[in-house]
């Protein structure tokens, strides 16, 4: 059956199968990542409050550092998927290896910066005198695992580009299990305290990196791809990542501004804000899974010179994004009596929290489309536009959010500002998607 004779219903079913096959395992892998920190917190929490406070500061620093380099996964996914679509698996894996080498070099550079500056970084994040020594210990030891973390990001991008999200899920589950066992054994069994937790996490991350490298190296040998670092390829990977780095930093700036504004509103508001932000982040994992499927699928269609297939896949994924957003929004509303008591028993915090949660629920269909289109444009390698769009969004959001306290607004008003931010993102991404200028076919963009 040719492309012209495929019915719309059959095309939708084909796209649905592709989206489900990639998005479901991707969601599992995404959820497994924050569980690392949760396990560390659960284990270290029994050592005492200063240790837990120190872990909180160090973990925030580490997660910020790693999230800045998430472009290693995004850019690699798009580049590899294009070459897969073009039928050139050798070049696809070669491109993936360039991303992995870039991750290794960046990780070494981060270690070189973090080790000597750990006390200063901990102080900047406001750690107390009792928590600071524990934060410094955890940060210095855990920073040794940053190259492994970044290799995991890049290798995950390679496998996503190869249309494989199951292997990252299996590796994430194995890493989570190893991290839990190592933390318990080293913290309590070996009596290493918070240092044991850090070493356990480093060991688990290194194990995950090795597992990924085994898979990628096996593929490279199978298809005759070189494993040696290539300066031109590494430079190209870095150049593709710069716009996505700008996008990520702009988004981080939005979240930091929102938290700073909530802090100015008072203790009740910042407490409620942290709960809302945690839920918002959890919902983002579900939507991001569809975006990851979009990166891999769109890149493959464009690499295969199938512009119409890319358009149809984009359209179907937008429908998925809207549906997922509606479902998640309803779940937030329906389940709020169940999960709010799990977070706080303070009635004032609950009263502040509830209307802000309703705003989050209403905005989920918008978020669904935003995440999908973000993934589509990443898969198309349209990083420069994504960078400019996010800078515009930041320019709109920042003054509105900063005016919230002076105008007498509360947490609900702040989250309406967050909804404005998502709406601006929707408009910029929708305009780009409708224009068709993101559709550039071929093995490279």
């Amino acid at each position: 059956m040719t492309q012209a004779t495929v019915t719309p219903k059959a095309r939708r079913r084909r796209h649905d199968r592709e989206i489900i096959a990639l998005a479901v395992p991707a969601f599992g892998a995404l959820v497994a990542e924050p569980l690392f920190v949760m396990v560390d917190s659960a284990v270290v929490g029994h050592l005492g409050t200063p240790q837990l406070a120190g872990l909180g500061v160090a973990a925030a620093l580490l997660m910020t550092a790693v999230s800045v380099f998430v472009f290693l996964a995004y850019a690699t996914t798009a580049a590899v998927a294009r070459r897969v679509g073009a039928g050139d698996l050798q070049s696809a894996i070669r491109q993936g290896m360039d991303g992995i080498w870039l991750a290794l070099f960046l990780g070494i550079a981060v270690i070189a910066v973090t080790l000597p500056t750990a006390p200063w970084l901990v102080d900047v994040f406001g750690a107390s005198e009792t928590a600071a020594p524990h934060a410094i210990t955890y940060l210095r030891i855990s920073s040794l695992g940053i190259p492994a973390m970044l290799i995991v990001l890049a290798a995950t991008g390679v496998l996503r580009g190869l249309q494989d999200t199951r292997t990252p899920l299996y590796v994430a589950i194995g890493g989570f299990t190893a991290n839990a066992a190592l933390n318990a054994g080293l913290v309590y069994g070996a009596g290493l305290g918070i240092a044991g937790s850090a070493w356990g996490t480093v060991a688990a991350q290194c194990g995950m990196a090795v597992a990924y490298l085994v898979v990628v190296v096996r593929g490279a040998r199978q298809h005759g791809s070189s494993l040696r670092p290539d300066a031109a390829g590494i430079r190209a990977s870095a150049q593709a990542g710069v716009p996505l780095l700008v996008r990520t930093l702009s988004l981080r700036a939005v979240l930091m501004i929102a938290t700073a504004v909530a802090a100015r509103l008072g203790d009740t508001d910042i407490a409620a804000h942290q709960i809302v932000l945690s839920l918002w982040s959890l919902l983002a994992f579900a939507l991001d899974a569809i975006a990851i499927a979009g990166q891999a699928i769109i890149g493959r269609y464009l690499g295969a010179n199938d512009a119409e297939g890319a358009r149809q896949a984009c359209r179907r994924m937008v429908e998925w994004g809207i549906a997922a957003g509606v479902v998640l929004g309803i779940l937030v509303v329906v389940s709020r009596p169940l999960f709010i008591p799990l977070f706080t028993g303070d009635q004032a915090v609950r009263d502040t929290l509830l209307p802000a949660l309703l705003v989050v629920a209403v905005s989920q269909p918008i978020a669904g489309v935003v995440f999908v289109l973000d993934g589509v444009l990443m898969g198309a390698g349209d990083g420069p536009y994504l960078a400019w769009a996010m800078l515009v969004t930041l320019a709109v959001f920042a003054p509105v959010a900063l005016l919230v306290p002076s105008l007498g607004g509360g947490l609900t008003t702040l989250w309406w500002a967050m909804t404005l931010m998502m709406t601006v993102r929707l408009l910029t991404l929708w305009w780009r998607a409708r224009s068709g200028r993101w559709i550039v076919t071929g093995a490279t963009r």
Side-chain angles (χ1 to χ4, degrees):
M1 185 179 291
T2 65
Q3 177 73 21
T5 59
V6 175
T7 65
K9 186 175 181 179
R11 282 198 298 267
R12 286 196 299 271
R13 284 201 301 266
R14 184 186 66 197
H15 290 315
D16 289 346
R17 286 195 297 269
E18 289 181 330
I19 294 168
I20 292 171
L22 291 170
V24 172
F27 174 70
L30 288 169
V31 171
E33 292 173 9
L35 291 178
F36 269 75
V37 177
M38 291 180 63
V39 167
D40 288 6
S41 299
V43 173
V44 172
H46 292 286
L47 294 174
T49 300
Q51 288 88 338
L52 183 58
L55 171 65
V57 172
L61 284 163
L62 287 166
M63 294 306 296
T64 299
V66 173
S67 66
V68 164
F69 296 110
V70 73
F71 70 83
L72 290 166
Y74 294 158
T76 304
T77 297
V80 171
R82 274 184 176 271
R83 288 161 176 79
V84 168
D88 189 356
L89 288 177
Q90 182 185 58
S91 178
I93 297 175
R94 172 67 263 180
Q95 181 69 35
M97 285 304 305
D98 292 335
I100 290 173
W101 279 111
L102 175 62
L104 176 61
F105 295 146
L106 288 173
I108 293 172
V110 173
I111 290 177
V113 171
T114 304
L115 287 178
T117 61
W120 177 78
L121 290 170
V122 167
D123 183 61
V124 167
F125 263 61
S128 67
E129 291 184 3
T130 55
H134 302 293
I136 294 169
T137 296
Y138 190 92
L139 180 60
R140 280 182 165 156
I141 296 173
S142 292
S143 68
L144 301 177
I146 287 179
M149 295 180 194
L150 300 190
I151 288 172
V152 166
L153 283 177
T156 299
V158 176
L159 295 181
R160 289 173 181 171
L162 293 171
Q163 317 296 297
D164 176 9
T165 56
R166 290 183 178 273
T167 300
L169 172 60
Y170 299 148
V171 174
I173 293 173
F176 167 74
T177 304
N179 183 57
L182 287 167
N183 263 261
L186 294 175
V187 171
Y188 298 115
L192 296 179
I194 194 170
S197 177
W199 282 118
T201 299
V202 169
Q205 291 287 355
C206 290
M208 292 173 66
V210 169
Y212 274 117
L213 289 174
V214 167
V215 174
V216 174
V217 168
R218 184 186 299 134
R221 288 175 174 169
Q222 180 181 350
H223 297 285
S225 297
S226 173
L227 298 175
R228 293 183 177 182
D230 176 66
I234 294 171
R235 186 164 53 251
S237 295
Q239 290 171 346
V242 168
L244 296 179
L245 174 62
V246 173
R247 167 203 168 272
T248 300
L249 290 174
S250 300
L251 182 56
R252 297 294 300 182
V254 165
L255 299 178
M256 289 175 65
I257 289 170
T259 300
V261 170
R264 291 174 60 188
L265 296 174
D267 289 348
T268 298
D269 289 85
I270 186 61
H273 173 75
Q274 288 303 115
I275 297 172
V276 178
L277 187 61
S278 297
L279 177 65
W280 187 80
S281 300
L282 179 62
L283 297 173
F285 281 127
L287 299 175
D288 203 27
I290 305 175
I292 287 170
Q295 293 171 31
I297 292 170
I298 294 298
R300 192 188 75 236
Y301 274 117
L302 294 178
N305 294 309
D306 188 354
E308 183 56 32
R311 288 191 185 92
Q312 292 171 1
C314 174
R315 190 176 305 116
R316 187 56 176 165
M317 280 184 283
V318 167
E319 293 171 355
W320 269 76
I322 294 171
V326 170
V327 170
L328 291 174
I330 292 173
L331 283 175
V332 170
V333 174
V334 172
S335 63
R336 68 189 191 280
L338 300 176
F339 67 78
I340 289 179
L342 297 177
F343 287 100
T344 179
D346 188 322
Q347 190 59 47
V349 174
R350 291 186 182 185
D351 292 342
T352 304
L353 174 66
L354 183 57
L357 276 179
L358 295 178
V359 174
V360 170
V362 169
S363 68
Q364 285 309 293
I366 296 174
V369 178
V370 167
F371 274 81
V372 165
L373 293 180
D374 208 38
V376 166
L377 297 185
M378 283 184 191
D382 204 9
Y385 181 81
L386 289 171
W388 282 109
M390 199 62 226
L391 286 171
V392 169
T393 302
L394 175 61
V396 173
F397 170 77
V400 173
L402 293 172
L403 282 172
V404 169
S406 59
L407 295 178
L411 186 66
T412 302
T413 306
L414 175 61
W415 275 91
W416 277 119
M418 289 286 285
T419 302
L420 170 66
M421 179 271 294
M422 294 299 290
T423 302
V424 174
R425 291 187 71 190
L426 172 65
L427 294 175
T428 56
L429 297 176
W430 184 266
W431 178 84
R432 186 66 166 183
R434 289 294 300 271
S435 74
R437 295 177 65 183
W438 56 278
I439 300 177
V440 179
T441 58
T444 58
R445 184 178 173 87

